[in-house]
Amino acid sequence: MATLLDRFRLDNQVAVVTGGARGIGLAIATALAEAGARVVLADRDPEAGERSAAHLRGLGLAAEFHPLDVTRPEQAEALAQALEQVDVLVNNAGICRNTPALETPDEEWRLVFEVNVHGVFWCSRAFGRRMVAQRRGSIVNIASMSGRIVNKPQPQAAYNASKAAVIHLTKSLAAELAPFGVRVNAISPGYIGTEMTRRGLETPEWRRDWLGLTPLGRLGEPAEVASCALFLASEASSYLTGSELVVDGGYTVW
């Protein structure tokens, strides 16, 4: 007899995770693979991607690496065409630059939006077409609490604006794709213990505010984001679309 926990299973499904070679992306890929999915690590770093895929296979999980630069729509289209099926897409690839707004070069602003917003759209369009044809699928966009609030003390106007765009893009795609059986949701992490975040903690002022303004008083772990991604990817969340899970240790309650 099927149980509630069975709704979290992803057996016989294919899940694509962009930026899946490390950090939150790799944690999400691991969780989806543990739930039975064949995971595709799509990343522009072939060395890290191959290494991470081999690591997952060493754990007895189904994983493979495919090179993908999310800023190149033709690459997203090619990968979508190369895969026989796509049931889950996690748009995780993203970048952040801590430059004061009035000092931000044009090329830096454009790059942040190319990766964080355009990349999410290019991949959602390419893989979403495949899901619409299948009449099923789940897209999970990794946004950020920075799309809802302004972080302090570090300046990051481009990042904040790009993640706000991802949140609203999620809602827009959810409304359009729901009639075709495709759900679209977002996760907005707070400060998660990735390599990039831990580097930021080396600045005393940043550490004071980041942890002091987080009610739980600690960084989150990539696995704590990954478990939410598994929920949104699976049938456990079958009545959720256009939703945003804020995973921030309470930071945005203030």
Side-chain angles (χ1 to χ4, degrees):
M1 182 178 66
T3 69
L4 184 61
L5 287 179
D6 291 328
R7 294 178 62 79
F8 288 86
R9 295 294 306 174
L10 297 174
D11 299 300
N12 302 314
Q13 295 192 33
V14 176
V16 177
V17 182
T18 71
R22 56 173 62 83
I24 292 174
L26 180 56
I28 291 173
T30 303
L32 301 184
E34 288 177 346
R38 167 190 158 208
V39 297
V40 176
L41 307 183
D43 201 287
R44 67 177 187 175
D45 184 339
E47 183 177 348
E50 293 285 7
R51 183 171 61 247
S52 294
H55 170 72
L56 293 182
R57 289 194 296 270
L59 298 176
L61 304 174
E64 59 196 69
F65 167 73
H66 287 266
L68 175 66
D69 180 344
V70 299
T71 69
R72 303 285 298 277
E74 70 277 10
Q75 291 188 16
E77 295 286 350
L79 180 55
Q81 290 298 317
L83 298 174
E84 294 181 1
Q85 71 180 76
V86 179
D87 304 285
V88 176
L89 167 66
V90 181
N91 283 308
N92 167 76
I95 62 171
C96 181
R97 297 291 185 268
N98 297 120
T99 307
L102 302 187
E103 300 171 16
T104 299
D106 295 352
E107 61 272 19
E108 181 175 298
W109 179 274
R110 292 192 180 102
L111 178 61
V112 170
F113 271 76
E114 282 288 344
V115 176
N116 294 0
V117 183
H118 300 168
V120 169
F121 180 73
W122 304 142
C123 290
S124 295
R125 184 179 66 181
F127 295 101
R129 287 170 175 158
R130 175 59 62 87
M131 293 177 180
V132 165
Q134 298 171 169
R135 307 292 294 191
R136 71 179 188 279
S138 177
I139 298 174
V140 181
N141 296 327
I142 306 303
S144 172
M145 69 174 184
S146 304
R148 305 173 63 87
I149 51 91
V150 177
N151 304 65
K152 63 186 292 287
Q154 75 275 22
Q156 52 184 50
Y159 182 79
N160 296 349
S162 73
K163 291 302 185 177
V166 170
I167 293 169
H168 205 65
L169 176 58
T170 297
K171 296 177 182 294
S172 300
L173 291 173
E176 288 194 36
L177 300 184
F180 304 99
V182 179
R183 298 183 298 109
V184 188
N185 293 288
I187 300 173
S188 287
Y191 291 113
I192 306 300
T194 61
E195 181 180 345
M196 180 175 68
T197 300
R198 294 189 185 281
R199 284 200 305 268
L201 288 179
E202 295 173 3
T203 302
E205 185 182 11
W206 293 18
R207 182 182 185 88
R208 181 199 64 207
D209 284 356
W210 292 7
L211 298 182
L213 291 173
T214 301
L216 289 183
R218 65 173 177 85
L219 298 179
E221 293 298 328
E224 292 176 303
V225 179
S227 59
C228 294
L230 173 58
F231 169 62
L232 292 177
S234 72
E235 284 299 302
S237 62
S238 56
Y239 199 53
L240 268 72
T241 197
S243 295
E244 177 197 4
L245 296 184
V246 182
V247 187
D248 67 351
Y251 191 100
T252 57
V253 303
W254 303 118

